[in-house]
Amino acid sequence: QRPVAGVVIRLCRRALGLLQEVSDTAQAPPLLDGSDVMEVLGLPPGPRVGAILRWLDRLRTEKRIRTREEALEILWSLPPPRIRD
């Protein structure tokens, strides 16, 4: 039974560490704001801008992007919108 307890303790420590990482990322200021998204993509204010900001936050939480420059590169790589708000 003791080996199982050790595994559980290690898993709990790892889970707490991951929770802290996600919490730290969520509390950090956003990499871009709505004005940045609208300027880069040529979008008007609207729900699409908010959706893009949430997507960028998710990418950051998943550690797929880490810097403002990386976020901008992703926006610049997107195809132009086919349908405007």
Side-chain angles (χ1 to χ4, degrees):
Q1 285 241 338
R2 288 201 177 240
V4 172
V7 169
V8 171
I9 289 170
R10 283 193 302 277
L11 285 173
C12 288
R13 286 182 180 152
R14 179 68 180 136
L16 288 172
L18 291 171
L19 180 62
Q20 184 63 48
E21 285 179 34
V22 170
S23 177
D24 291 345
T25 300
Q27 292 176 6
L31 299 174
L32 301 177
D33 63 21
S35 297
D36 297 320
V37 172
M38 289 184 291
E39 182 180 330
V40 170
L41 298 179
L43 294 173
R48 184 176 294 155
V49 174
I52 291 168
L53 289 170
R54 287 188 298 279
W55 173 61
L56 291 171
D57 282 341
R58 188 174 71 241
L59 292 176
R60 183 169 147 187
T61 300
E62 294 169 356
K63 298 189 182 214
R64 294 170 63 191
I65 60 173
R66 296 177 190 268
T67 65
R68 175 181 171 80
E69 291 72 26
E70 290 173 331
L72 288 169
E73 285 177 23
I74 285 179
L75 292 185
W76 289 324
S77 72
L78 294 174
R82 290 180 290 203
I83 301 171
R84 299 275 179 178
D85 286 339

